[in-house]
Amino acid sequence: MLAPAFLADGIHCAQEQAWNRAQLAQPVLRPAVRLWTYAAPGVVLGRAQAALHAQLADSRTPVVVRDAGGGAVLTGPWMLSASIVLPANHPLLATGTVSSYRWLGMLHAGLLRDLGMAAHAVAPEALEAARPDPSLKWACFGGLSPWEVVVGQRKIVGLAQVRRRTGALLTCGTLLSPPDWPLLCSVLGADTADVARLRACTTSCAEELGTPLMATVLAERLHHMLIDVLGEHDDPGGPSRPRRALRAAPAPLSAAAGP
């Protein structure tokens, strides 16, 4: 099956980061959306972890640094990621850095609920009740930030953001199947006990559904929802699609709320 035009299928995580940086290298004039799947594992360090990059240069698993903050992400065949690029004056950015995640987290939660998962986005006031393990902050999926998506108290969608004068980049990663947590812990030299901790605090579409979910199926639905909200324009030389009306988001859900 051929990947849809908006899906960069089987790429290297360095290609994704290069595309992300290129979008903010000049003023963003209209929204753009790109989705990603990965042929092989890669580690993407958060901006604050950049000093580790040189130390991990000899790793057999590719390691790159992203411009967004947060902990390390293990990309691979178990993940579908999305990059959403917005003009600096876009209405969805006007509410502030944290609250601008709300629409994206709610959108992902609604998508996963439509597929049969009891997912919800965690409102800022519900973070304390969610009780993320502070010892796992080094890993993106070991921590929990406002409006990220969980099933029960297990994280399934992570969010990140970069803001520049030229525009903003919002990124998200959804776990399609259980990641290779031993690999991530090995690359970063983490405590081997963190493998079990990461498994306990995360979940995936395959685990929740009891059957594999094809990346292209989730990508098609996610892309459709994103262009419903934003409109989409991947090719700088091509015609843009008209921006569609933003659908009203449901009321915020707490970490204890059901689907």
Side-chain angles (χ1 to χ4, degrees), residues 109-120:
L111 169 60
L112 297 183
R113 285 198 301 273
D114 288 346
L115 290 168
M117 291 169 256
H120 57 272

Side-chain angles (χ1 to χ4, degrees), residues 5-6 8 11-26 28 30-36 67 81-86 168-171 232-236:
F6 58 81
I11 56 92
H12 186 289
C13 59
Q15 295 172 272
E16 175 191 6
Q17 298 308 312
W19 187 90
N20 288 346
R21 290 192 177 102
Q23 305 315 299
L24 300 184
Q26 54 190 357
V28 179
R30 55 178 64 89
V33 174
R34 183 67 59 89
L35 275 63
W36 316 89
D67 291 336
S81 297
S83 299
I84 301 108
V85 186
L86 300 175
L169 167 76
L170 285 82
T171 60
E232 181 258 345
H233 184 80
D234 277 338
D235 179 6

Side-chain angles (χ1 to χ4, degrees), residues 17-215:
Q17 298 308 312
W19 187 90
N20 288 346
R21 290 192 177 102
Q23 305 315 299
L24 300 184
Q26 54 190 357
V28 179
L29 301 180
R30 55 178 64 89
V33 174
R34 183 67 59 89
L35 275 63
W36 316 89
T37 63
Y38 311 90
V43 174
V44 183
L45 300 173
R47 183 181 63 247
Q49 298 173 314
L52 295 174
H53 190 231
Q55 301 174 31
L56 302 175
D58 294 331
S59 171
R60 293 183 179 180
T61 302
V63 180
V64 299
V65 181
R66 65 181 183 272
D67 291 336
V73 175
L74 181 66
T75 61
W78 43 78
M79 180 176 287
L80 172 71
S81 297
S83 299
I84 301 108
V85 186
L86 300 175
N89 62 350
H90 196 281
L92 289 174
L93 302 175
T95 54
T97 303
V98 172
S99 54
S100 63
Y101 283 124
R102 182 182 185 274
W103 72 272
L104 188 56
M106 299 296 281
L107 182 148
H108 274 80
L111 169 60
L112 297 183
R113 285 198 301 273
D114 288 346
L115 290 168
M117 291 169 256
H120 57 272
V122 181
E125 61 271 18
L127 280 179
E128 186 175 348
R131 297 188 299 276
D133 185 344
S135 70
L136 293 177
K137 281 189 174 180
W138 62 269
C140 170
F141 278 85
L144 190 61
S145 297
W147 303 116
E148 292 187 316
V149 180
V150 298
V151 178
Q153 292 188 347
R154 302 175 71 192
K155 185 169 172 179
I156 192 169
V157 179
L159 306 175
Q161 184 173 169
V162 178
R163 291 203 181 200
R164 298 281 187 267
R165 291 182 178 180
T166 53
L169 167 76
L170 285 82
T171 60
C172 44
T174 302
L175 296 182
L176 299 168
S177 60
D180 189 347
W181 295 129
L183 175 61
L184 179 63
C185 290
S186 174
V187 171
L188 293 188
D191 190 327
T192 54
D194 284 352
V195 172
R197 295 189 186 108
L198 285 166
R199 286 173 176 159
C201 71
T202 59
T203 188
S204 66
C205 296
E207 291 171 273
E208 294 302 320
L209 296 174
T211 187
L213 176 65
M214 291 183 62

